[in-house]
Amino acid sequence: VGLFLDQYWPISLKDHFQTLKNEGGEFEGRDIIDKNQEFCFHLVAENVIRQKKHRLARKARHAELTVSHFSDKIFSSVNAILDLSVFGKEVTLETLVKDLKKKIPSLNFSPLKPNGRISVEGSFLAVKRLKESLLVRACSLLEKDRNFTSEGRKWNRQNPQRSLQRSNNPLASVRTLVPETARSGEMLVLDTDVFLYLHHKCRSYESTLKKFCILSQEKVDGEITTICLKNIQVGSQPNNAKHVKELIEEWSHALYLKLRKETFILEGKEKKEKRMINWACEQLSSRYPEVLINFYRTHVDIIGSSSDTYLFKKGVMKLIGQKVS
């Protein structure tokens, strides 16, 4: 990594692993995340792994690769620097770090600095789980502070200028993530792609809410979606919302490990090419009912299993007359 331009990595890796002399062959899909290469092999996986060490071609400066079976722990060098000072005096930072270590033991934490900063290292999934845990913690603090929030709304209506002073609260930036339902119910935070797939492609989501008489209020904010669950039937079991929350967490975790996403960029393309891409996606939607298609102004996301998203992308490229990379 870093020996040559990033855009050559996918080409070099694909050429290497599709070459028969390297015991390779066709593969179904690929994800490239922060310069960490993860390939999904099926028919030729064992042959490739048996070699253990692989060396790329001369134009890739003979970069050496170590290949192993896919694992959630494959990302072992993701680093992040946290600024926990945003919690202010709401929590004891030492206690917060201790709780995070207990909740996500696979992460390595550096000593906490006096300014509230701390560095963490671990797998990609573990760091993402850390991000979600911190957001949940911030949202829970805002729930406890709802009296202050109500006062702030009244203050803002009376004097817009003073609202700028209120915004100095370090947790104010995430206040908009907490729907009103959160005041008396269960709350969880999901990856937005996972939530959209769960909501649109998994019948169990809506049927479970209906079965247990649960009102679900969702707030999508970029990569994170906040869900608040509340009992809506008088006399229903008080633990229903908690039970549904546990079910959703279980489903979302399974989907997080299964799903892959491909993106067609529309921004900067001619109107005709944009229409062709949208048309091709619509044409293939019935053929791949397990693939979720999200149309946006600047791009189109397709979400599904590794094989489905690869075949879907391949079909779109064929319909619009482009070579599959």
Side-chain angles (χ1 to χ4, degrees):
V1 173
L3 295 177
F4 55 101
L5 296 178
D6 292 345
Q7 61 260 34
Y8 293 126
W9 272 105
I11 298 173
S12 298
L13 290 170
K14 183 174 180 180
D15 289 345
H16 176 83
F17 287 113
Q18 285 190 329
T19 302
L20 292 179
K21 71 177 183 179
N22 296 321
E23 299 292 339
E26 293 293 328
F27 58 85
E28 291 192 353
R30 68 172 184 269
D31 290 329
I32 297 180
I33 306 173
D34 294 336
K35 297 184 180 180
N36 292 283
Q37 279 68 41
E38 165 206 338
F39 280 77
C40 301
F41 296 98
H42 292 274
L43 297 178
V44 298
E46 294 302 326
N47 290 334
V48 170
I49 292 171
R50 194 176 297 118
Q51 288 196 36
K52 295 185 178 180
K53 296 290 183 180
H54 289 260
R55 192 174 294 276
L56 296 183
R58 182 167 60 86
K59 65 179 181 179
R61 303 189 184 182
H62 301 293
E64 187 176 273
L65 306 174
T66 300
V67 182
S68 63
H69 286 91
F70 173 76
S71 168
D72 294 345
K73 300 178 181 178
I74 194 168
F75 297 101
S76 58
S77 59
V78 178
N79 294 279
I81 297 178
L82 307 179
D83 185 0
L84 301 180
S85 64
V86 297
F87 287 96
K89 298 180 180 179
E90 302 286 342
V91 296
T92 304
L93 298 187
E94 289 77 7
T95 303
L96 174 60
V97 173
K98 185 177 180 180
D99 291 343
L100 291 173
K101 289 180 178 180
K102 184 177 180 181
K103 187 172 185 180
I104 315 175
S106 60
L107 286 176
N108 294 319
F109 291 80
S110 71
L112 181 66
K113 295 182 179 180
N115 62 1
R117 295 203 169 201
I118 187 173
S119 63
V120 296
E121 181 180 357
S123 71
F124 180 80
L125 295 180
V127 171
K128 190 156 190 175
R129 186 182 174 194
L130 172 66
K131 174 184 175 182
E132 295 171 355
S133 297
L134 288 171
L135 184 58
V136 170
R137 177 66 66 94
C139 290
S140 65
L141 290 174
L142 289 173
E143 289 179 60
K144 297 177 182 178
D145 198 29
R146 61 181 180 271
N147 292 330
F148 172 83
T149 304
S150 300
E151 178 188 348
R153 287 175 181 154
K154 181 179 179 181
W155 190 305
N156 293 344
R157 288 195 297 270
Q158 293 173 348
N159 191 337
Q161 294 297 325
R162 292 186 178 181
S163 66
L164 297 176
Q165 299 175 8
R166 287 288 184 179
S167 67
N168 289 332
N169 181 351
L171 296 177
S173 60
V174 292
R175 177 171 286 123
T176 56
L177 293 179
V178 185
E180 293 297 322
T181 318
R183 295 185 176 183
S184 56
E186 296 289 338
M187 182 176 67
L188 66 159
V189 179
L190 302 180
D191 177 276
T192 293
D193 289 332
V194 170
F195 164 71
L196 292 175
Y197 193 91
L198 181 65
H199 183 69
H200 295 289
K201 290 296 180 180
C202 301
R203 296 179 180 178
S204 55
Y205 181 76
E206 292 293 342
S207 62
T208 299
L209 294 176
K210 184 177 180 180
K211 176 181 178 181
F212 291 96
C213 301
I214 298 296
L215 171 67
S216 173
Q217 186 174 359
E218 300 105 6
K219 175 72 174 181
V220 177
D221 188 84
E223 297 179 357
I224 296 295
T225 295
T226 305
I227 303 177
C228 295
L229 306 171
K230 184 179 180 181
N231 290 318
I232 57 175
Q233 185 175 5
V234 178
S236 60
Q237 292 293 328
N239 290 330
N240 279 357
K242 184 177 181 180
H243 177 62
V244 172
K245 174 185 176 181
E246 292 172 350
L247 289 175
I248 294 176
E249 287 178 332
E250 182 180 339
W251 298 332
S252 63
H253 178 69
L255 289 174
Y256 190 85
L257 299 177
K258 170 188 175 183
L259 297 178
R260 296 291 182 268
K261 179 170 72 172
E262 292 280 359
T263 300
F264 293 101
I265 303 299
L266 302 179
E267 196 170 19
K269 297 184 182 297
E270 298 291 336
K271 290 184 178 180
K272 182 179 179 180
E273 189 174 359
K274 292 180 181 180
R275 288 196 297 267
M276 285 293 293
I277 293 175
N278 288 331
W279 169 81
C281 290
E282 291 172 352
Q283 290 294 309
L284 292 171
S285 60
S286 59
R287 190 184 305 178
Y288 297 94
E290 299 302 314
V291 170
L292 175 64
I293 311 170
N294 293 324
F295 294 94
Y296 301 98
R297 183 178 59 84
T298 58
H299 63 282
V300 179
D301 284 339
I302 54 175
I303 304 171
S305 66
S306 175
S307 57
D308 280 351
T309 52
Y310 173 75
L311 293 174
F312 191 99
K313 179 181 179 181
K314 187 176 180 180
V316 170
M317 301 295 281
K318 183 177 180 180
L319 285 175
I320 64 178
Q322 292 187 11
K323 186 178 179 181
V324 181
S325 60

